[in-house]
Amino acid sequence: MKAVFIGPPGAGKGTYASYFSRKYCIPHISTGDIFRDEIAKGTELGEIIKKYIDKGELVPDDIVIEVVKKRLNQPDTRNGFILDGFPRTLNQAKALDEITQIDVAVYIYVPIEIAIERLSNRYICPKCHRIYNLKFNPPKNDLRCDYDGEKLIRRPDDEPEVVKNRYKVYYEQSHPVIDYYRRKNLLIEVDNSSSAEIVVVLLEKTLIERGILKLKPCNPNVSIR
Ligand code: AMP
């Protein structure tokens, strides 16, 4: 399954992408995670992109497209992949069409108030990129990752002022991507206002019934959290 997961900040893209990636053993490719790793490692690319991310602006298309092109060339993508947070502009969507033909675009959305509430309680593991929420999905040991014990961190761009700008940028630049895939008949829309355990069952069923998800689970008992 070659999928893109798109939608506004805090809608739940990363949570669902991680679930399908672990259950079906296909890579979860989050451009945001790739960029945060580059910043943490202090690379040249990290230095260039940090100023955009800190302000909640989009990283320029040419940089993002190059990063994704390189990643999709890796052999682990041969059975499929989940792109999380890419494409975020029409240019990126068109560039992706040149690289490969995707099977589905999953548009995950929630009302903005729910997203802001989720983002204000979000912590991430900087090592394995797992996502926690202090209210709905807290770590077992205080602020340590359940899987690798790493100290959890807040994303600087989850602060309310930056979130506001990320939303503005989303509506101006990323929202047209939804229509792009709708016109191509590739869009599945997911209202993620209810619990993730319920939403994921419906999404998985839809993907299987429509013949998009044909892989056998490599880890059948994976949970959404
Ligand atoms: P995310 O983790 O997907 O919320 O991304 C965090 C930040 O990384 C975004 O606010 C952007 O600054 C940058 N970013 C991630 N993906 C893209 C993309 N496809 N195009 C441009 N900027 C991106």
Side-chain angles (χ1 to χ4, degrees):
M1 175 173 77
K2 295 179 183 177
V4 301
F5 281 24
I6 49 182
K13 302 182 292 290
T15 301
Y16 294 102
S18 161
Y19 168 85
F20 285 103
S21 163
R22 285 178 285 124
K23 183 159 179 179
Y24 292 95
C25 290
I26 50 174
H28 169 192
I29 304 171
S30 154
T31 39
D33 283 344
I34 294 174
F35 292 153
R36 279 183 289 278
D37 285 348
E38 293 289 330
I39 293 171
K41 283 190 264 172
T43 63
E44 204 179 316
L45 174 62
E47 255 173 51
I48 297 169
I49 60 183
K50 185 175 181 332
K51 56 178 184 289
Y52 298 101
I53 296 182
D54 284 352
K55 285 188 276 188
E57 306 285 343
L58 292 186
V59 173
D61 281 343
D62 52 341
I63 299 179
V64 192
I65 291 165
E66 204 43 48
V67 163
V68 170
K69 208 177 195 173
K70 237 172 142 183
R71 182 63 187 86
L72 291 181
N73 253 329
Q74 300 295 311
D76 64 340
T77 61
R78 84 185 155 262
N79 290 333
F81 54 79
I82 300 168
L83 274 167
D84 161 12
F86 180 95
R88 262 179 158 101
T89 63
L90 281 177
N91 261 343
Q92 292 179 15
K94 288 174 190 162
L96 181 60
D97 284 345
E98 303 278 306
I99 301 169
T100 189
Q101 225 40 63
I102 62 152
D103 304 313
V104 65
V106 179
Y107 167 39
I108 302 171
Y109 60 92
V110 288
I112 185 165
E113 313 80 61
I114 296 186
I116 287 172
E117 153 104 34
R118 284 183 187 164
L119 292 178
S120 66
N121 288 297
R122 174 158 82 173
Y123 277 76
I124 60 164
C125 173
K127 194 170 171 193
C128 72
H129 305 128
R130 279 200 166 75
I131 303 162
Y132 295 86
N133 184 293
L134 287 194
K135 258 193 179 163
F136 308 110
N137 176 36
K140 292 192 185 90
N141 299 314
D142 73 348
L143 295 188
R144 295 260 166 206
C145 178
D146 294 350
Y147 299 89
D148 54 33
E150 195 76 11
K151 194 164 173 16
L152 302 180
I153 56 165
R154 291 251 317 134
R155 281 173 46 172
D157 61 343
D158 277 348
E159 295 308 324
E161 272 315 300
V162 187
V163 168
K164 247 189 241 162
N165 195 40
R166 284 166 64 202
Y167 258 87
K168 184 168 164 278
V169 167
Y170 171 77
Y171 282 112
E172 285 170 3
Q173 299 185 59
S174 306
H175 206 60
V177 173
I178 313 289
D179 261 340
Y180 180 79
Y181 286 123
R182 189 178 281 122
R183 279 198 295 272
K184 283 175 171 280
N185 234 346
L186 288 174
L187 197 72
I188 289 185
E189 304 194 34
V190 178
D191 177 351
N192 191 27
S193 322
S194 48
S195 96
E197 284 77 6
I198 297 171
V199 174
V200 78
V201 172
L202 286 174
L203 173 58
E204 198 165 2
K205 190 166 170 273
T206 306
L207 290 170
I208 293 169
E209 280 177 1
R210 295 201 189 170
I212 297 163
L213 179 53
K214 298 182 198 126
L215 298 165
K216 291 269 164 288
C218 54
N219 293 307
N221 298 323
V222 158
S223 73
I224 182 77
R225 302 290 185 194

